[in-house]
Amino acid sequence: MIALVRTMLASRYPMVLTWGPSFLQFYNDAYSKLIGDKHPAALGLDIRITMAEAWDTLGPMIHQVMKTGVANWTPALLLLLDRAGYREESYFSVSHSPAEDDTGDIVGMFAVCSEVTEQVLGERRLRLLRDLASSAAGTRGVEPGCRDVVTAISGHPLDVPFALLYLRDAEHGGFVRRGVVGLDEHAPVCPARVDADEADRWWPLGRAAGGETVIIEDVERRVSLLGGRFQDPVRTAVALPIAASGQAAPLGVLVLGVSPNRALDESYRSFHELLVGQVSVALRNALAHEEERRRLEALAELDRAKTTFFSNISHEFRTPLTLMLGPTQDLLSGRAGALVPEVRSELEVIHRNAERLLRLVNSLLDFSRLGARRREASFAPRDFSALCTDLAGSFRSAVERAGLALHVDCPPLSQPVYLDEEAWEKVVLNLVSNAFKFTHAGTITVRTRQRDGRARLEVIDTGTGIPASELPRLFERFHRVKDARARTHEGSGIGLALVQELVALHGGHVSVESTEGKGTTFTVELPLGAGHLPAEQLEATRGQSSTATGARAYVEEALRWAEDEAPPPARDSELPRARVLLADDNADMRDYIRRLLSAEFEVEAVADGQAALESALARPPELVLSDVMMPRLDGVGLLRALRSAPHTRELPILLLSARAGEEATLEGLESGADDYLVKPFSARELLTRVRAHLDRLAMRREVVRERARVETLLEAVRARDDFLTLASHELKTPLTAFQLQLGAIERGMTKASPHDIGERLETARRSARRLSLLVETLLDVSNLTPGRIRLEREPVDLSALLQDEVAAHEDEARRVGSNLLVHAAPSLGGRFDVQRMRQVLQHLLSNALKFGRGQPVELFLREEGAQVTLAVVDHGIGIPEADRDRIFERFERAVPVRNYGGLGLGLWVMRQVIEAHEGSILIEETPGGGATFLIHLPRDARGAGARAPAN
């Protein structure tokens, strides 16, 4: 027992020991805090007395341990305690162990326990808050919102024995009951309506509605109700204001009962505040939704007549148009036989005007939907510049046929732009078509930029311009500029108005600047990101039929405008044909499409998606045309596989399917396809779409090539600028020294000693040699092409050449405090270009002395079989391994030029000379620090000869 007591008293964990048949208890300070006001009387007292209210739970557990000698462990054990003046709901994690006397007999129990009441209650209350938040997310009105709140609260009676929800009556004043939990809704204490003058009769609604949290401590006087874990009388409640948005008066009051088995402490109060906060959010959302619904209902009746009219007229227009376009298309395709030229010409006029009328009808429908707010936009992140490039580029043939220039300047933006692609297509096509219509000479420029968090599109022309008086009305519906000089006088005057509406749909703005006789600039700006767009319209599915006609109708109309201005370009039969990969499991369909496309393209046809994938990965085509339903790998699976491979990710992919309807089309496009055709389709439609996508691909590739060429030119310009700056610095330094020394010699001829004059002349000679070397290097840079150096080979004694150059650098070595140590055979000959080899030795010695820090420089020349090896070893600053390849490039230096000077050309020239001799050069680290240059040269490389310089 003594050992147990010693362990217990030394521990800071709650422990209690009972001993003997009287269950006398002993405990430590930590345990005394768990039993509250029962301490210190409980010390040495029978535990069955001090824990009488919980003995029904604890007694069997303790007896079992003392009887069997087997310890137990119970987490989060519910206990009824009376330690603070009321029957308290509490939870403990408890371990009971047998306690033995000195003879080994079990005579007591040793318990270790910890209170986890706050954790259990916290998790339980958090579940209620989560339930409230979950129910609020789907709220669609005040009535269902209140019902959801009541349902959530009713599921947690241990913490909220009862609840009353009252909301203000904005129309009549007072309060209206919107929910009851735990009480009889017909009881007097739950009035359905409370007038303003009786607001505090049953519950303090008036006080709470004034913004005050009121504690109600006489609940038993108002209503008889049992609650809590042990079903004791509920005595306390709180009335809390339900906050409205902003500074408005509270929405109402929430009355919450308090569990009789828990004290209304700080934790309980915080729970109430969070609970009423969740209720406030749910009800504010419900009110906002209900107000919006009422507003929309008010507008719906006003809009219904207009919408019905446009829907009816749409049907009336499109029915006869369909009956016009279908048969004329069949006749023009030759399905009924060959047509005489006169008949074909008349049919083309009918078909052309029917298409134009269809475009007008579609524009009117867009206006009706936009005006009625019934156009359901679908915004998704798109490559803004690439899309503008593709749409603008579709006009290139028409623009060039008219003798104009089309400039597309659309660099990538830093992030995608959220666009409704169908609507944005109409914006760009209308603006470019409009520019072409009013431009007779010069250029049309389409430009994209990013500025101040917005994406910008500019369409600039050198056309007729717009009078200043017309600019304010330019975007009005059906307004047309009078007497404007245009390619055609046709037009409804709704194109620019539609542009403005569609740009506004994106949360953007369109503006125009124009000078009459000089040209016009339209500017469209769209916000980046998606914060300005309705969340329900992000990646949403459109709810109405598409009115997009694509670029084809706009371009064909523009081509007709330009037909009389320039002859159509001749097709070059010698140009390589684009390669199309076709995948379709139906043999007849596969053969038909192959025959249809083979007139213009090289077509490879396969029978399933797996074969198409293998072919595309091995030899990527320019375009993939695939059926959706196929064995082994379907069209969507083929699309995803190609999109995941780096070298096929950007391929245009067109899907074919027998599934009709807009939903099927949207699913195809949403899967990542560039286009989607529903069978049956016309041959012309298929050819047009394939041509359009191949044209866009060609334009994108040309843009990439042009950007690469521009970058190459810019890099060359930057390199030349750097070179000229360095050359100017390096040439001026020896020239200045040379001039100063000559001046000093002239001044000192009469008064300076011969020794002084000799030193000055030597300094001048060094500067002249340095200048000569720089000039030779510059001439090499201007004349040499890497790998193309003309050599004049002749027998040369490298040992003698090395000794000459070492002697020439002795003065420079003394000046920097270095010694030149030569280890060379007396005579070591070969066939070399003597001037080039002298140039190599000069660069090696100059670098070793410059970067050697006054340490000795050693030169080794030895014969190794048919090769000669030259090593120049310094003990200076060294060259990091990461820089040893880089420094052989033009204008590269291993150290900053301000510290050591240099053009960064010497090592480049040296490598060209050595490689022209079929040798090699590398750099190693000198042991102890420094750099070692190793050069290997064949002694007699007659086969190399003199290579011709590059043209």
Side-chain angles (χ1 to χ4, degrees):
M1 177 180 178
I2 295 175
L4 289 175
V5 172
R6 184 181 297 115
T7 299
M8 178 181 65
L9 295 178
S11 176
R12 301 169 73 176
Y13 209 78
M15 295 181 180
V16 60
L17 172 68
T18 65
W19 196 264
S22 298
F23 289 91
L24 301 180
Q25 63 181 348
F26 306 92
Y27 50 82
N28 58 10
D29 288 341
Y31 182 84
S32 68
K33 295 179 176 61
L34 300 184
I35 59 177
D37 57 11
K38 294 182 178 183
H39 174 75
L43 192 61
L45 194 64
D46 192 329
I47 194 173
R48 292 172 294 184
I49 298 174
T50 59
M51 300 294 290
E53 69 273 18
W55 192 250
D56 288 343
T57 301
L58 293 174
M61 301 172 67
I62 294 174
H63 284 299
Q64 182 69 15
V65 169
M66 296 179 64
K67 178 179 179 182
T68 63
V70 179
N72 61 29
W73 161 253
T74 307
L77 175 66
L78 170 65
L79 292 179
L80 169 63
L81 292 183
D82 189 356
R83 56 179 175 177
Y86 66 96
R87 288 157 50 91
E88 182 180 353
E89 174 189 5
S90 57
Y91 297 88
F92 294 84
S93 293
V94 183
S95 173
H96 297 112
S97 303
E100 300 176 349
D101 60 12
D102 295 338
T103 64
D105 293 333
I106 298 174
V107 295
M109 177 276 304
F110 185 69
V112 179
C113 57
S114 63
E115 185 167 6
V116 292
T117 304
E118 290 301 324
Q119 293 93 310
V120 173
L121 296 181
E123 291 174 3
R124 190 170 74 198
R125 292 165 181 174
L126 184 60
R127 284 196 296 273
L128 171 55
L129 297 176
R130 283 200 299 262
D131 291 346
L132 276 173
S134 176
S135 65
T139 297
R140 290 295 179 268
V142 174
E143 193 65 35
C146 293
R147 190 164 53 248
D148 290 343
V149 166
V150 168
T151 300
I153 294 176
S154 64
H156 299 267
L158 294 182
D159 293 302
V160 186
F162 76 90
L164 291 167
L165 175 61
Y166 283 92
L167 297 185
R168 287 181 181 273
D169 187 342
E171 184 176 355
H172 303 98
F175 299 88
V176 177
R177 190 193 70 207
R178 291 301 188 101
V180 180
V181 176
L183 297 174
D184 182 2
E185 63 179 12
H186 301 294
V189 77
C190 306
R193 174 175 178 79
V194 177
D195 294 332
D197 56 355
E198 293 186 335
D200 293 321
R201 178 180 178 186
W202 291 105
W203 306 100
L205 302 182
R207 290 173 58 191
E212 177 185 356
T213 297
V214 183
I215 299 176
I216 307 164
E217 296 181 335
D218 58 349
V219 171
E220 288 180 293
R221 184 182 63 81
R222 303 166 188 264
V223 61
S224 178
L225 179 68
L226 300 180
R229 174 64 72 178
F230 306 117
Q231 289 298 295
D232 291 327
V234 178
R235 302 179 179 87
T236 308
V238 292
L240 303 105
I242 302 173
S245 59
Q247 301 297 320
L251 298 175
V253 177
L254 182 64
V255 180
L256 300 173
V258 176
S259 169
N261 302 126
R262 291 301 306 168
L264 187 58
D265 54 14
E266 187 64 30
S267 175
Y268 213 153
R269 292 172 187 267
S270 296
F271 164 67
H272 285 151
E273 291 174 0
L274 292 172
L275 191 154
V276 76
Q278 288 281 19
V279 172
S280 171
V281 170
L283 295 184
R284 290 205 305 269
N285 290 342
L287 283 169
H289 185 275
E290 194 162 279
E291 290 173 2
E292 180 67 14
R293 180 179 56 80
R294 285 197 295 266
R295 187 182 70 83
L296 293 176
E297 288 176 353
L299 291 173
E301 187 61 33
L302 180 64
D303 178 64
R304 190 171 292 115
K306 181 173 65 173
T307 303
T308 302
F309 166 74
F310 275 109
S311 298
N312 291 338
I313 202 170
S314 163
H315 175 76
E316 295 301 320
F317 270 118
R318 296 178 106 176
T319 299
L321 282 172
T322 302
L323 295 176
M324 291 168 62
L325 285 168
T328 54
Q329 177 64 46
D330 289 342
L331 291 172
L332 287 170
S333 67
R335 184 172 297 178
L339 300 174
V340 298
E342 293 81 5
V343 174
R344 172 172 290 278
S345 177
E346 294 298 330
L347 285 174
E348 286 175 346
V349 172
I350 294 172
H351 192 268
R352 182 164 62 246
N353 285 276
E355 281 195 326
R356 180 166 172 258
L357 184 57
L358 178 61
R359 219 177 85 201
L360 175 61
V361 169
N362 286 335
S363 296
L364 289 171
L365 284 174
D366 279 332
F367 274 126
S368 70
R369 289 169 177 169
L370 288 166
R373 299 295 188 266
R374 293 174 65 88
R375 190 189 191 285
E376 297 178 13
S378 176
F379 298 99
R382 295 286 183 262
D383 187 331
F384 183 82
S385 295
L387 185 57
C388 293
T389 298
D390 289 347
L391 293 171
S394 61
F395 283 83
R396 188 171 298 279
S397 59
V399 170
E400 293 177 351
R401 177 176 295 185
L404 306 176
L406 176 64
H407 297 322
V408 180
D409 179 17
C410 299
L413 307 188
S414 65
Q415 59 180 288
V417 179
Y418 278 79
L419 300 173
D420 180 307
E421 195 161 340
E422 176 189 320
W424 186 247
E425 174 186 288
K426 294 179 181 179
V427 170
V428 178
L429 293 176
N430 268 291
L431 290 177
V432 179
S433 174
N434 194 69
F436 178 71
K437 183 177 180 180
F438 293 96
T439 304
H440 302 274
T443 62
I444 297 173
T445 300
V446 178
R447 184 165 61 199
T448 58
R449 293 291 187 270
Q450 180 175 330
R451 184 177 300 171
D452 299 328
R454 302 174 76 83
R456 171 184 288 223
L457 166 69
E458 293 178 330
V459 179
I460 308 164
D461 65 59
T462 58
T464 58
I466 304 168
S469 60
E470 295 284 354
L471 290 176
R473 300 190 59 197
L474 196 62
F475 294 101
E476 290 181 10
R477 299 181 186 184
F478 313 115
H479 176 74
R480 298 178 61 190
V481 178
K482 293 181 179 180
D483 302 323
R485 179 172 172 257
R487 296 182 182 277
T488 177
H489 292 287
E490 297 174 345
S492 60
I494 62 175
L496 292 178
L498 180 61
V499 166
Q500 186 180 53
E501 295 281 356
L502 294 175
V503 170
L505 185 71
H506 286 77
H509 173 72
V510 59
S511 60
V512 60
E513 296 179 358
S514 184
T515 301
E516 194 170 4
K518 293 186 177 180
T520 304
T521 298
F522 283 90
T523 302
V524 179
E525 290 189 337
L526 303 182
L528 297 176
H532 61 289
L533 299 172
E536 65 273 14
Q537 292 184 359
L538 298 181
E539 294 287 359
T541 300
R542 294 182 179 89
Q544 70 280 326
S545 60
S546 172
T547 61
T549 59
R552 175 181 53 81
Y554 291 84
V555 174
E556 288 184 353
E557 186 176 31
L559 283 169
R560 290 194 297 273
W561 295 340
E563 279 176 352
D564 298 331
E565 301 180 29
R571 183 179 181 87
D572 189 348
S573 60
E574 299 302 322
L575 291 176
R577 304 201 304 169
R579 180 168 170 266
V580 175
L581 177 61
L582 167 65
D584 199 305
D585 60 327
N586 184 285
D588 290 335
M589 178 63 72
R590 189 166 64 248
D591 185 60
Y592 165 70
I593 296 177
R594 178 172 53 194
R595 285 188 286 103
L596 179 64
L597 298 180
S598 292
E600 297 186 36
F601 312 107
E602 176 190 342
V603 180
E604 178 187 355
V606 296
D608 59 66
Q610 185 61 38
L613 177 61
E614 294 169 359
S615 175
L617 294 178
R619 184 185 170 209
E622 276 73 35
L623 181 141
V624 175
L625 187 63
S626 173
D627 190 20
V628 172
M629 302 297 293
M630 293 186 297
R632 292 214 295 170
L633 183 66
D634 63 17
V636 175
L638 171 63
L639 184 150
R640 290 172 179 165
L642 293 177
R643 290 284 186 255
S644 63
H647 59 300
T648 58
R649 182 176 296 128
E650 302 299 328
L651 281 181
I653 301 176
L654 282 66
L655 293 182
L656 309 174
S657 176
R659 289 183 60 200
E662 182 182 7
E663 182 179 353
T665 302
L666 290 173
E667 287 178 0
L669 294 176
E670 288 171 356
S671 67
D674 295 277
D675 213 337
Y676 186 94
L677 282 80
V678 176
K679 301 175 184 178
F681 47 80
S682 69
R684 181 182 177 186
E685 180 183 15
L686 177 61
L687 282 169
T688 299
R689 296 200 187 192
V690 170
R691 289 177 191 139
H693 286 288
L694 287 173
D695 287 345
R696 292 179 183 179
L697 177 64
M699 284 186 289
R700 284 199 296 269
R701 288 177 175 175
E702 180 59 29
V703 168
V704 171
R705 286 194 293 270
E706 187 62 29
R707 286 176 180 165
R709 286 195 293 269
V710 170
E711 286 297 326
T712 301
L713 289 174
L714 288 175
E715 183 60 30
V717 170
R718 286 193 290 267
R720 181 169 296 180
D721 290 344
D722 291 343
F723 167 67
L724 291 174
T725 300
L726 291 170
S728 173
H729 175 268
E730 292 299 313
L731 288 172
K732 286 178 179 179
T733 300
L735 280 174
T736 301
F738 191 59
Q739 291 166 350
L740 290 174
Q741 294 302 323
L742 288 178
I745 291 170
E746 291 175 356
R747 292 192 301 271
M749 287 296 290
T750 58
K751 57 183 179 180
S753 68
H755 175 73
D756 292 335
I757 294 175
E759 288 184 353
R760 295 181 184 275
L761 286 173
E762 180 56 32
T763 302
R765 280 195 294 271
R766 283 198 305 270
S767 297
R769 282 201 305 271
R770 185 180 175 200
L771 180 59
S772 175
L773 183 60
L774 287 172
V775 171
E776 288 178 5
T777 302
L778 294 179
L779 289 174
D780 277 336
V781 172
S782 64
N783 292 319
L784 293 185
T785 301
R788 298 282 187 175
I789 299 177
R790 184 181 297 276
L791 299 180
E792 300 294 338
R793 292 182 181 270
E794 57 182 291
V796 177
D797 185 345
L798 282 185
S799 296
L801 186 63
L802 177 60
Q803 293 291 351
D804 288 347
E805 288 304 316
V806 168
H809 285 78
E810 286 290 351
D811 290 338
E812 183 179 354
R814 284 194 297 271
R815 183 169 53 84
V816 298
S818 292
N819 291 329
L820 292 174
L821 306 177
V822 180
H823 310 279
S827 177
L828 191 56
R831 292 181 59 82
F832 307 102
D833 185 315
V834 63
Q835 295 303 326
R836 292 296 187 186
M837 291 308 301
R838 188 182 300 279
Q839 190 178 19
V840 168
L841 293 172
Q842 288 173 353
H843 283 303
L844 286 172
L845 286 167
S846 295
N847 280 347
L849 293 173
K850 182 192 298 185
F851 301 112
R853 289 183 170 175
Q855 299 297 318
V857 174
E858 296 181 88
L859 296 97
F860 298 86
L861 182 64
R862 59 183 177 271
E863 180 180 5
E864 295 182 352
Q867 285 192 330
V868 174
T869 299
L870 172 64
V872 179
V873 182
D874 70 56
H875 302 274
I877 63 174
I879 301 173
E881 184 176 359
D883 294 331
R884 292 174 190 170
D885 290 330
R886 175 181 61 80
I887 62 173
F888 286 108
E889 300 298 330
R890 279 182 287 191
F891 313 120
E892 293 288 350
R893 296 169 300 276
V895 295
V897 67
R898 65 177 180 271
N899 296 334
Y900 291 93
L903 293 173
L905 292 170
L907 292 179
W908 178 79
V909 172
M910 183 167 37
R911 186 178 66 174
Q912 304 308 311
V913 171
I914 292 170
E915 290 180 352
H917 281 85
E918 298 184 1
S920 64
I921 181 170
L922 59 89
I923 303 172
E924 296 179 348
E925 183 178 358
T926 301
T932 297
F933 282 78
L934 284 175
I935 298 173
H936 301 284
L937 293 168
R939 295 184 62 181
D940 189 4
R942 294 180 183 275
R947 281 178 279 183
N951 292 330

